[in-house]
């Protein structure tokens, strides 16, 4: 087996300056990038910290006690996030996902939810406002999040076997607490709940059927995610990726499935329904089936950098504009300009690119820009 190299990286690579173009770009909701893709989905990372150390995301060897996390002053405030979000919405964003790191670690995150929940899309519709969490603090926070206006949550859960789960989160966190968090979210009305399971061959593939049986008929939508080569620290190898097609085959052999129509353009998950009406599952084939063609997602890092792709190595610094006294129109114009120049389609090109070994331009970490 090839030796695994885990480079030490600092994710704070100098961002590109976000300039205001000479010709203003009005926010009309009709923005599109160089490949004709609109801007619809904004993922906002509210912290770069996490209480888990999932090896595929924040391996302990790198994210240790000496890791240089962002100082508080570098973080966008809730007011700054809301102000930027307004400009993204003016360009056509309809869906907001709060993420991290672990978003529930951000102090009073429900205060941010409250500010975002009152915003409307350019068509005057309510935003689709969701949050992705590891579930560890959900039992404590679900009610307050719902009261603040959060609509749904996605909970990451990589297995039901306590030993497997503790090993995967690498901080010995018990699975029962996450399951309690999921129950609290359901009771609070934060549904339909999505459960995300990253499948890593050799680590948790034997949990696939158990997870499918457990969540079938609950109304929760279990989604299997291919282990991705995000960042530069997780020591990713293709032989640890279990293709979604294999996951579907495995479940179908015991619990027959039929493919369902996609729920929305740009939707990352392929949907499958249980033939006997036990609900649906999803598979996210980020590695084996590129879905860049209609990727309408932008990502805002914890310190206000706009990333155009999960696999980008540089962001565009919006915080400097924001803190430098730019007007809303200038900020919208800058966002428009950046999106119009977007040509990212990493997953489609993956096969023809050299892996990131941490020696060249480093890719941003998932814990920094969120999933
Ligand atoms: N801490 C929260 C959580 O775990 O849900 C939110 C942030 S986490 C970065 C967002 C999602 O990214 C999670 O569902 C996680 O499983 C997924 N993720 C992280 N690293 C990944 C990787 N290398 N491949 C696939 N999914 C990954
Ligand atoms: Fe933390 Fe989520 Fe990354 Fe796991 S996947 S280390 S819970 S940010
Ligand atoms: Fe979108 Fe980049 Fe993922 Fe392609 S690789 S789907 S462009 S985030």
């Amino acid at each position: 087996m090839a030796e695994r190299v885990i480079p030490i990286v600092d994710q704070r690579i100098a961002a590109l300056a976000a300039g205001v173009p000479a010709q203003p770009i009005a926010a009309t909701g009709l923005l599109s990038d160089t490949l004709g893709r609109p801007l619809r989905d904004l993922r906002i990372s509210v912290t770069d910290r996490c209480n888990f150390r999932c090896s595929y995301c924040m391996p302990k060897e790198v994210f240790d006690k000496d890791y240089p996390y962002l100082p508080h002053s570098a973080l966008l405030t809730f007011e700054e996030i809301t102000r930027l979000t307004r400009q993204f919405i003016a360009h056509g964003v309809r869906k907001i996902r709060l993420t991290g790191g672990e978003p529930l670690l951000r102090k009073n995150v429900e205060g941010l939810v409250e500010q975002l929940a009152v915003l409307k899309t350019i068509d005057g519709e309510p935003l689709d406002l969701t949050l992705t969490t590891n579930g560890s603090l959900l039992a404590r926070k679900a009610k307050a999040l719902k009261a603040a206006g959060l609509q749904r949550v996605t909970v990451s859960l990589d297995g039901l076997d306590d030993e497997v789960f503790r090993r995967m989160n690498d901080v010995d966190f018990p699975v029962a607490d996450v399951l309690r968090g999921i129950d609290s979210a359901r009771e609070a009305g934060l549904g339909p709940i999505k459960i995300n399971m990253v499948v890593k061959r050799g680590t948790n593939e034997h949990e696939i059927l158990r997870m499918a049986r457990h969540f079938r008929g609950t109304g929760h939508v279990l989604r299997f995610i291919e282990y991705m080569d995000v960042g530069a620290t997780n020591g990713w190898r293709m032989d640890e990726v279990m293709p979604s097609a294999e996951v579907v085959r495995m479940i179908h052999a015991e619990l027959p499935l039929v493919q369902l129509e996609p729920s929305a353009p740009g939707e990352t998950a392929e949907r499958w329904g249980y033939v006997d009406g036990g609900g649906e599952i999803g598979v996210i084939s980020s590695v084996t089936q590129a879905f860049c063609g209609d990727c309408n997602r932008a990502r805002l890092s914890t310190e206000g950098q706009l990333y155009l792709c999960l696999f980008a190595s540089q962001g565009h610094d919006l915080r400097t504009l924001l803190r430098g006294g730019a007007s809303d129109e200038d900020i919208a114009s800058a966002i428009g300009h950046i999106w119009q120049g977007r040509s990212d389609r990493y997953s489609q090109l993956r096969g023809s690119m050299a892996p990131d070994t941490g020696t060249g331009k480093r890719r941003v970490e998932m814990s920094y820009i969120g999933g």
Side-chain angles (χ1 to χ4, degrees):
M1 197 177 274
E3 195 185 329
R4 190 172 293 230
V5 179
I6 300 185
I8 306 296
V9 297
D10 177 356
Q11 60 203 357
R12 254 131 311 141
I13 311 154
L16 298 161
V20 179
Q23 284 292 338
I25 298 172
T28 56
L30 300 172
L31 196 61
S32 70
D33 70 8
T34 62
L35 302 173
R37 298 170 297 187
L39 172 56
R40 294 281 177 265
D41 183 330
L42 178 65
R43 303 185 174 197
I44 304 172
S45 172
V46 295
T47 177
D48 60 339
R49 293 164 196 255
C50 187
N51 53 344
F52 283 13
R53 286 291 176 275
C54 309
S55 61
Y56 53 71
C57 178
M58 295 180 78
K60 247 183 187 163
E61 303 83 343
V62 176
F63 295 87
D64 59 10
K65 64 176 185 8
D66 299 322
Y67 188 80
Y69 292 102
L70 295 169
H72 194 73
S73 60
L75 272 50
L76 292 186
T77 65
F78 293 167
E79 288 66 30
E80 288 173 330
I81 292 175
T82 307
R83 186 164 168 226
L84 281 181
T85 302
R86 279 209 185 91
Q87 308 319 314
F88 280 99
I89 290 174
H91 277 301
V93 161
R94 293 176 187 154
K95 184 171 172 184
I96 306 279
R97 176 176 298 281
L98 299 181
T99 177
E102 173 45 43
L104 300 187
L105 287 183
R106 178 81 186 252
K107 204 168 157 205
N108 186 33
V109 71
E110 49 279 28
L112 174 62
V113 170
E114 221 167 81
Q115 293 189 27
L116 297 176
V118 295
L119 303 181
K120 295 271 192 292
T121 68
I122 41 170
D123 310 318
E125 302 288 325
L127 280 178
D128 185 5
L129 182 58
T130 68
L131 175 144
T132 302
T133 172
N134 63 24
S136 58
L137 300 169
L138 202 46
R140 247 182 278 167
K141 293 259 189 183
K143 263 192 185 155
L145 288 166
K146 179 68 187 180
L150 190 70
Q151 291 160 0
R152 294 180 288 112
V153 285
T154 296
V155 182
S156 304
L157 178 64
D158 297 333
L160 288 167
D161 181 88
D162 195 45
E163 206 178 301
V164 171
F165 185 69
R166 284 176 193 254
R167 203 176 334 123
M168 288 192 78
N169 63 55
D170 215 10
V171 292
D172 212 24
F173 195 87
V175 73
D177 288 16
V178 176
L179 294 174
R180 244 192 308 282
I182 294 171
D183 287 345
S184 305
R186 192 199 49 227
E187 284 156 22
L190 287 170
I193 297 171
K194 290 179 184 158
I195 313 284
N196 277 358
M197 173 178 177
V198 174
V199 181
K200 223 177 146 182
R201 202 193 283 285
T203 304
N204 66 339
E205 77 255 45
H206 48 281
E207 290 292 300
I208 293 172
L209 269 171
R210 190 168 167 190
M211 289 278 284
R213 288 184 207 117
H214 182 87
F215 288 108
R216 186 164 158 270
T218 59
H220 306 333
V221 180
L222 175 60
R223 305 186 319 162
F224 299 92
I225 305 180
E226 286 177 353
Y227 169 43
M228 286 186 283
D229 46 339
V230 275
T233 59
N234 66 8
W236 182 87
R237 287 204 320 252
M238 187 65 201
D239 60 5
E240 288 178 323
V241 177
M242 178 148 168
S244 295
E246 230 180 283
V247 174
V248 169
R249 261 200 311 277
M250 184 191 256
I251 299 174
H252 179 71
E254 180 179 317
L255 306 164
L257 293 166
V258 61
Q259 192 163 357
L260 306 174
E261 288 294 315
S263 54
E267 178 53 61
T268 50
E270 183 183 287
R271 300 167 63 214
W272 293 81
Y274 291 111
V275 170
D276 67 359
E280 69 175 81
I281 61 160
V283 289
I284 302 181
S285 318
S286 341
V287 178
T288 60
Q289 255 190 317
F291 39 72
C292 304
D294 53 6
C295 177
N296 53 23
R297 292 176 289 284
R299 293 176 161 85
L300 185 61
S301 81
T302 318
E303 56 179 337
Q305 294 181 11
L306 170 58
Y307 280 84
L308 302 175
C309 176
L310 191 49
F311 298 92
S313 38
Q314 263 188 321
H316 301 257
D317 175 17
L318 295 177
R319 190 186 61 193
T320 301
L321 267 189
L322 204 57
R323 295 189 179 169
S327 66
D328 284 352
E329 290 70 28
D330 282 353
I331 293 171
S333 208
I335 293 171
H337 182 64
I338 295 165
W339 190 265
Q340 282 181 347
R342 176 184 189 243
S343 60
D344 305 59
R345 52 189 188 101
Y346 174 80
S347 284
Q348 285 180 343
L349 304 174
R350 176 184 279 112
S352 59
M353 288 169 76
D356 188 341
T357 56
T359 48
K361 249 192 174 182
R362 292 155 322 198
R363 289 203 295 265
V364 66
E365 294 300 319
M366 189 106 158
S367 53
Y368 176 65
I369 52 166

